[in-house]
Amino acid sequence: MKEKLIFDYTRPGKTGVLCSGPAGSPERHLPADLIRKDYANLPEVSEVETVRHFTRLSQLNYGVDSGFYPLGSCTMKYNPKINEKTASLEGFAGLHPMIPDSLAQGALRLICELQEYLCRITGMQACSLQPAAGASGEFTGLLMMRRWHQVKGTAHKNEIIIPDSAHGTNPASVALTGFRVVEVKSNSQGWVDIEALKQVVNENTAGLMITNPNTLGLFDGNIRQVADIIHAAGGLVHYDGANLNAIMGKCRPFDMGFDIVHMNLHKTFSTPHGGGGPGSGPVTVTKELRDFLPGPIAARSGDSFFMDHDLKHTIGKVTGFHGNFAVMVKAYTYIRMLGSAGLKAASETAVLNANYLLKLLDQHLKRDFPQFCMHEFVLSGRELPNGVHTLDIAKRLLDYGYHAPTIYFPLIVKEAIMIEPTETESLETLDAFASTMVRICEEAAANPELLKQAPVSTPVRRLDEVNAARKPVLCA
Amino acid sequence: MAYIPLTASDREQMLRKIGVASVDELFSDIPEDLRLKSFDWLPPSDERETLSILKGLAEANRAAAEAPCFLGAGAYDHYIPAAVDAICSRSEFYTAYTPYQPEVSQGTLQAIFEFQSLICALTGLAVSNASMYDGPSALGEAVLIASSYTKKQKVLYAESLSPVYLAVVRTYLESGSIELIPVKTARDGRVDPSDLSSKLSADTACLVLQNPNFFGVIEDGAALKKILGPTMLVVCADPNSLGLLAPPGSYGASICVGDCQPLGLPMSFGGPYAGYLAVSNDLMRKLPGRIVGRTVDCDGKTGFVLTLQTREQHIKREKATSNICSNQALCALRSTIYICLLGKTGLKNVSCACLDKAHRMAEAACKNKGFSLRYTSPFYKEFVLDCPSNAAKLAEEVFNRFGILAGVPLSRFNPQDSNGLLISVTEKRTGDEIVGLSAALAQVAGGLK
Ligand SMILES: Cc1ncc(COP(=O)(O)O)c(C=O)c1O
């Protein structure tokens, strides 16, 4: 441990930020048995020590601002600083969520316009910004399907089809919403296997959830046919927008036949990932599904804006208030900066960067799919020599000062290495990363121990995860 | 183009290397009929213009800085120490993602471990996870844990539970077979013990209790737990109150959830906040989401990792305890720093100041003719003021004439409740503001009659 725990700085009597209490004891207002006896084992540390403690912790971290972060499926693009500034403007940050609409016109306009922008981008007709992240958006979409079938009199439909390449949240959301997961195979091209799909579609099919480009970084050219098959069976189709960064301005989920789309503002729209969150997972839908959205949603009436609570079939609320508003401010800022042409350029460049990097790497690691990739690609470490694994490549990259790519996902590629450079990286960065990867592959052949022992230059080395789970210590 | 560092010649070089003539060729897997012909609906703006657009939008709101804010109901205007923003602005924290590579994420991991420890200290429970989306969704997940652990389908909830929380819990239970059964609020504002006894049965999974409840009233958790016996108690608590109030673990709660907003998070029109979720030891493996544990590296050095991952979606897929993946880590970090900066005495001082000022406010308001406290039980930083006339109209007038945000009218949640005003008083409210609101209420009520 490079930095001791905050609790280890405690000395009784020290206080941090001055904050005065009232005169008189709380017993004036409360019976003693409602008051805590131990006053909690909270730290007693000065402000300067607290600031230094967390500053040192920050220095043990690696963010997008530290360097290249090619974490596939997560779209770790640069987070513009202007976003941070606008989201912390007092008129936004100090705004109470229960304030009357008339006193929040700026916030409501922003929400309403962001809803409209996201509809433009996806081709859909209505939007709710309430879901808190991608998985929350999946949950929302699936509950809308459930309600839709109840309203249509097809409530017996209880199966959701997902490709075998799907992210773990997809099946988990399906289970959380009371549906049964039915998996469909991918074909050798990495697309949904149409024959296999026809086999699993039946009268219980409630819908399908899919990412496109899929988690292999490939655009499924049969997508319209996939949607048609589900629609013909009376189901709905949900677009997991984790990979929307590949297609803005190029094509739209609506035209592909989707009924429901969720996006990740923390991926496509440049809002920072916060060390794990907060994200934001807006949902856009066709006009037929508008009344099923979680409400309220923002709406206009002439020049003024209001929260519309009048959604006949709404699934209810998925988060307490309006969702992660400050994240929306950042995404809105980003979209206003780029404009529609800038969004399209972002997607085109993300795809260009990915294909360029793929070209530099595919002679060195196993590549299963010959097509052009979209904004990311998946290689495999399964043919590495000397018992070297994908994990070892990832750890060795840390020694060279990079964040590792996503590894061991998607599950259908053994020893997967999933690389997403994003559009915000320069040619120099891509070239340097590629030569490092090539060098690591050479090390795997010549000196495999370098990889198996890696990392050696990080604040800690490989950690004992087995024991961590066997004898959990979760609290100081 | 903004944020794209490639020159025209870079692009040429890259296309040549790939072996295509244009970027469009890379999109050849997209069928012709799906390709967009035009995408021109918003002009770009430079950074200065964008800032001015956003400033315009921000200024079209009435933020707490310009209008004394007595609104609560789940989001509160507490003071946030400057150091919270300073530390959270470090991009090593905010531009990282989930600590999948622990060797380069010890900062995030240790901070989460400290967060978990602080939540355990505040709630009096053994295990906490790394955060949930918000308090309401944490409560939804808590109810799912209780039902799955006890294999029982009936969930009692105190009617004094926030309607905001209840709405989200209902959504989480939408597709299952769990039945939600309300327990009445007695005239004193607390759970009616006899109604609880009569509704308790062998297939009750748990009682969901908010404490302090939606009306600000502090419940007698210990007495309720006595009635419950072995039935599980799930408590939803404002963590800022736990600087002063008995920790839910001490009166028998097995699960405690709440929203971290009152611990250093700006109100931001409702989010992002962070839910916390703490449980007793036996429920550890039922927890949703990320959990950080302490371990050692191959050199024997202490370090931190994501642990107990076999509960989670990326491993267990449809058998996972939850679908949550991204959480609200940066918000949890803010709360961690907030608690550390205030420390033992500071947090207690804040809690005591809220308690004291809320009581001063209640006393002042009730001196006005026609106003009274609805409930007689002890309360914390919120209370229901029964007004002599329509509370929503009254609050609107108070804002229009005096520029004070007087409280949340309960008619927002229950149209029949026209006279109730939920007033929230944090440590930020000054004596003058308290006197000011009281005087404003009196004047407006006099005029409205
Ligand atoms: C394809 C895909 N789907 C869903 C998710 C879940 O999104 P979130 O973490 O925002 O809940 C992810 C996240 O990494 C993803 O890559």
Side-chain angles (χ1 to χ4, degrees):
Chain A
M1 208 154 87
K2 285 271 176 185
E3 168 63 12
K4 58 187 182 179
L5 290 172
I6 188 75
F7 305 97
D8 299 332
Y9 287 97
T10 287
R11 273 208 292 113
K14 276 194 193 176
T15 52
V17 172
L18 272 188
C19 81
S20 40
S25 78
E27 280 86 356
R28 282 180 303 151
H29 305 300
L30 298 181
D33 63 333
L34 297 180
I35 297 177
R36 72 185 302 154
K37 311 228 155 24
D38 62 344
Y39 280 112
N41 176 27
L42 301 181
E44 295 176 84
V45 184
S46 66
E47 177 168 341
V48 63
E49 289 167 299
T50 307
V51 168
R52 284 187 186 148
H53 170 70
F54 286 103
T55 300
R56 285 188 208 113
L57 288 187
S58 76
Q59 289 163 340
L60 305 178
N61 256 14
Y62 188 102
V64 172
D65 286 1
S66 319
F68 189 45
Y69 207 130
L71 192 68
S73 210
C74 298
T75 313
M76 302 300 289
K77 61 171 79 176
Y78 172 66
N79 310 124
K81 301 308 159 196
I82 182 72
N83 294 354
E84 303 305 307
K85 185 159 180 168
T86 54
S88 59
L89 289 169
E90 177 57 27
F92 296 133
L95 194 61
H96 192 281
M98 293 257 182
I99 201 165
D101 288 356
S102 61
L103 306 180
Q105 284 296 297
L108 293 180
R109 173 190 279 266
L110 185 148
I111 291 178
C112 191
E113 289 182 352
L114 183 56
Q115 289 172 187
E116 291 163 2
Y117 297 164
L118 297 177
C119 285
R120 288 274 192 170
I121 293 164
T122 55
M124 310 306 275
Q125 290 96 44
C127 176
S128 169
L129 301 177
Q130 207 181 97
S136 176
E138 295 169 20
F139 178 67
T140 302
L142 290 162
L143 283 179
M144 290 173 74
M145 286 196 198
R146 168 169 284 279
R147 186 58 59 85
W148 166 269
H149 286 303
Q150 281 164 358
V151 169
K152 295 281 152 186
T154 47
H156 67 279
K157 287 179 169 288
N158 65 345
E159 293 179 357
I160 300 287
I161 299 171
I162 55 170
D164 55 5
S165 58
H167 190 264
T169 50
N170 291 185
S173 299
V174 169
L176 185 61
T177 50
F179 288 110
R180 212 168 71 75
V181 176
V182 175
E183 212 171 74
V184 61
K185 272 197 312 176
S186 304
N187 64 19
S188 58
Q189 209 180 348
W191 298 5
V192 169
D193 186 322
I194 294 290
E195 285 316 306
L197 179 65
K198 287 180 181 160
Q199 293 288 313
V200 295
V201 168
N202 65 40
E203 103 103 21
N204 291 326
T205 301
L208 171 139
M209 178 179 281
I210 191 171
T211 317
N212 195 28
N214 63 24
T215 61
L216 298 164
L218 305 173
F219 191 92
D220 192 323
N222 286 335
I223 192 65
R224 185 79 224 194
Q225 198 185 350
V226 169
D228 289 346
I229 291 171
I230 301 300
H231 286 150
L236 296 174
V237 195
H238 178 124
Y239 181 88
D240 175 344
N243 293 343
L244 189 68
N245 205 45
I247 61 158
M248 286 186 291
K250 306 301 289 183
C251 60
R252 305 181 306 181
F254 177 77
D255 302 315
M256 298 178 209
F258 285 94
D259 307 285
I260 303 170
V261 175
H262 85 258
M263 282 147 281
N264 303 67
L265 299 187
H266 48 301
K267 297 180 181 176
T268 316
F269 299 99
S270 84
T271 75
H273 289 71
S280 172
V283 170
T284 58
V285 296
T286 57
K287 58 182 184 301
E288 290 78 12
L289 282 159
R290 177 187 182 274
D291 280 353
F292 292 75
L293 285 168
I297 58 179
R300 328 171 162 250
S301 153
D303 282 342
S304 69
F305 295 83
F306 66 100
M307 274 296 182
D308 186 355
H309 294 260
D310 190 18
L311 300 166
K312 188 165 171 221
H313 301 297
T314 180
I315 60 157
K317 302 213 65 165
V318 294
T319 54
F321 295 108
H322 310 305
N324 288 339
F325 176 72
V327 180
M328 299 167 203
V329 176
K330 296 177 191 186
Y332 179 91
T333 303
Y334 176 75
I335 294 174
R336 294 301 301 250
M337 284 281 303
L338 265 62
S340 44
L343 295 172
K344 182 173 168 182
S347 284
E348 288 180 339
T349 310
V351 171
L352 175 65
N353 277 0
N355 277 285
Y356 178 72
L357 195 52
L358 174 58
K359 191 75 188 176
L360 298 183
L361 294 180
D362 72 348
Q363 300 307 305
H364 304 273
L365 287 158
K366 180 83 182 132
R367 173 179 180 179
D368 289 333
F369 307 99
Q371 308 94 299
F372 292 125
C373 67
M374 298 298 281
H375 67 306
E376 66 188 357
F377 56 88
V378 177
L379 297 172
S380 166
R382 70 176 179 271
E383 291 183 358
L384 290 166
N386 300 322
V388 169
H389 290 279
T390 285
L391 181 71
D392 305 318
I393 301 255
K395 296 305 180 194
R396 188 65 179 146
L397 273 169
L398 305 181
D399 273 335
Y400 283 107
Y402 292 102
H403 196 279
T406 292
I407 51 175
Y408 300 102
F409 173 74
L411 306 179
I412 57 170
V413 173
K414 270 209 190 98
E415 297 279 329
I417 303 176
M418 183 191 223
I419 296 175
E420 178 178 11
T422 84
E423 73 280 8
T424 62
E425 297 302 330
S426 67
L427 178 58
E428 293 87 334
T429 300
L430 300 177
D431 283 339
F433 176 75
S435 32
T436 302
M437 284 291 281
V438 171
R439 178 157 170 197
I440 293 174
C441 289
E442 287 162 6
E443 287 174 353
N447 193 352
E449 278 310 299
L450 280 178
L451 280 74
K452 291 180 189 175
Q453 293 302 319
V456 292
S457 59
T458 46
V460 291
R461 297 185 55 210
R462 288 193 203 194
L463 291 141
D464 184 349
E465 301 191 6
V466 173
N467 226 24
R470 196 171 289 157
K471 296 192 197 124
V473 181
L474 312 177
C475 167
Chain B
M1 283 293 176
Y3 317 124
I4 296 179
L6 299 184
T7 66
S9 76
D10 290 346
R11 283 176 197 278
E12 288 307 312
Q13 184 189 332
M14 292 163 77
L15 289 171
R16 228 176 303 121
K17 176 81 190 173
I18 299 167
V20 291
S22 74
V23 168
D24 266 338
E25 276 183 55
L26 302 174
F27 288 87
S28 57
D29 276 344
I30 302 179
E32 194 62 53
D33 59 336
L34 292 185
R35 291 192 209 160
L36 270 186
K37 304 293 170 287
S38 87
F39 191 69
D40 181 14
W41 45 271
L42 185 72
S45 41
D46 69 20
E47 192 171 305
R48 185 187 50 79
E49 287 164 345
T50 307
L51 184 58
S52 106
I53 293 169
L54 271 290
K55 274 191 172 152
L57 292 172
E59 280 157 15
N61 303 315
R62 290 305 290 258
E66 21 165 350
C69 179
F70 291 88
L71 308 178
Y76 303 92
D77 184 27
H78 287 286
Y79 180 71
I80 301 174
V84 175
D85 284 313
I87 299 169
C88 287
S89 306
R90 292 194 65 92
S91 66
E92 298 92 332
F93 279 131
Y94 79 78
T95 70
Y97 202 10
T98 308
Y100 296 120
Q101 296 292 335
E103 298 88 345
V104 290
S105 312
Q106 286 298 301
T108 295
L109 287 161
Q110 185 171 331
I112 295 173
F113 184 81
E114 292 177 358
F115 171 78
Q116 292 172 179
S117 306
L118 294 168
I119 292 298
C120 290
L122 282 176
T123 58
L125 285 161
V127 194
S128 161
N129 78 358
S131 71
M132 306 298 293
Y133 299 137
D134 62 2
S137 66
L139 184 58
E141 298 262 18
V143 169
L144 294 174
I145 296 176
S147 170
S148 121
Y149 184 75
T150 58
K151 305 200 167 52
K152 294 177 180 178
Q153 306 293 317
K154 290 206 159 102
V155 168
L156 303 180
Y157 71 95
E159 248 177 0
S160 52
L161 172 66
S162 156
V164 174
Y165 278 66
L166 182 60
V168 176
V169 171
R170 282 195 197 290
T171 309
Y172 271 79
L173 302 187
E174 169 72 28
S175 60
S177 47
I178 298 174
E179 187 190 350
L180 275 172
I181 302 163
V183 179
K184 288 204 180 89
T185 305
R187 298 182 64 122
D188 64 358
R190 288 176 157 181
V191 169
D192 181 341
S194 60
D195 197 48
L196 173 60
S197 304
S198 74
K199 287 181 174 155
L200 194 62
S201 72
D203 41 8
T204 305
C206 64
L207 168 70
V208 173
L209 178 74
Q210 188 175 6
N211 192 18
N213 70 27
F214 183 62
F215 309 116
V217 168
I218 306 172
E219 301 275 359
D220 188 348
L224 296 174
K225 180 63 190 166
K226 227 176 246 158
I227 298 173
L228 287 174
T231 303
M232 204 181 268
L233 175 63
V234 176
V235 172
C236 172
D238 172 350
N240 211 304
S241 74
L242 297 176
L244 172 66
L245 300 182
S250 74
Y251 53 83
S254 309
I255 307 180
C256 184
V257 302
D259 202 298
C260 291
Q261 187 277 331
L263 300 176
L265 295 168
M267 295 188 288
S268 279
F269 206 42
Y273 303 161
Y276 73 85
L277 174 45
V279 298
S280 55
N281 246 322
D282 45 340
L283 298 174
M284 178 171 72
R285 283 170 204 274
K286 290 275 179 197
L287 272 174
R290 314 289 185 199
I291 302 177
V292 170
R294 179 154 60 186
T295 186
V296 291
D297 75 358
C298 55
D299 295 333
K301 239 197 254 170
T302 301
F304 300 90
V305 286
L306 293 174
T307 193
L308 302 178
Q309 296 195 72
T310 50
R311 303 161 295 108
E312 289 192 69
Q313 43 78 28
H314 58 286
I315 296 182
K316 275 289 163 65
R317 298 177 76 84
E318 67 265 32
K319 299 211 169 57
T321 54
S322 168
N323 66 337
I324 191 168
C325 178
S326 291
N327 54 23
Q328 308 274 128
L330 194 70
C331 304
L333 176 68
R334 288 186 72 94
S335 294
T336 306
I337 298 165
Y338 175 90
I339 301 172
C340 294
L341 281 170
L342 263 59
K344 208 174 205 167
T345 12
L347 192 64
K348 184 186 166 192
N349 282 351
V350 169
S351 301
C352 288
C354 294
L355 176 82
D356 202 56
K357 290 183 175 182
H359 282 76
R360 276 201 269 160
M361 182 71 243
E363 202 176 305
C366 291
K367 283 201 183 123
N368 296 327
K369 195 157 159 275
F371 290 88
S372 61
L373 271 183
R374 179 171 295 178
Y375 301 117
T376 52
S377 297
F379 61 94
Y380 174 54
K381 69 180 176 194
E382 279 177 288
F383 57 88
V384 178
L385 188 68
D386 270 325
C387 304
S389 57
N390 184 290
K393 279 217 189 85
L394 205 65
E396 191 183 333
E397 272 301 299
V398 167
F399 181 80
N400 289 341
R401 287 173 51 190
F402 298 93
I404 301 173
L405 294 162
V408 178
L410 291 178
S411 56
R412 259 189 97 127
F413 308 102
N414 174 6
Q416 267 98 59
D417 193 342
S418 61
N419 287 12
L421 186 64
L422 184 64
I423 295 182
S424 161
V425 191
T426 68
E427 83 286 1
K428 257 176 91 171
R429 300 285 70 83
T430 63
D432 284 351
E433 288 169 348
I434 288 171
V435 172
L437 174 57
S438 173
L441 286 169
Q443 282 201 37
V444 170
L448 279 181
K449 257 192 220 136

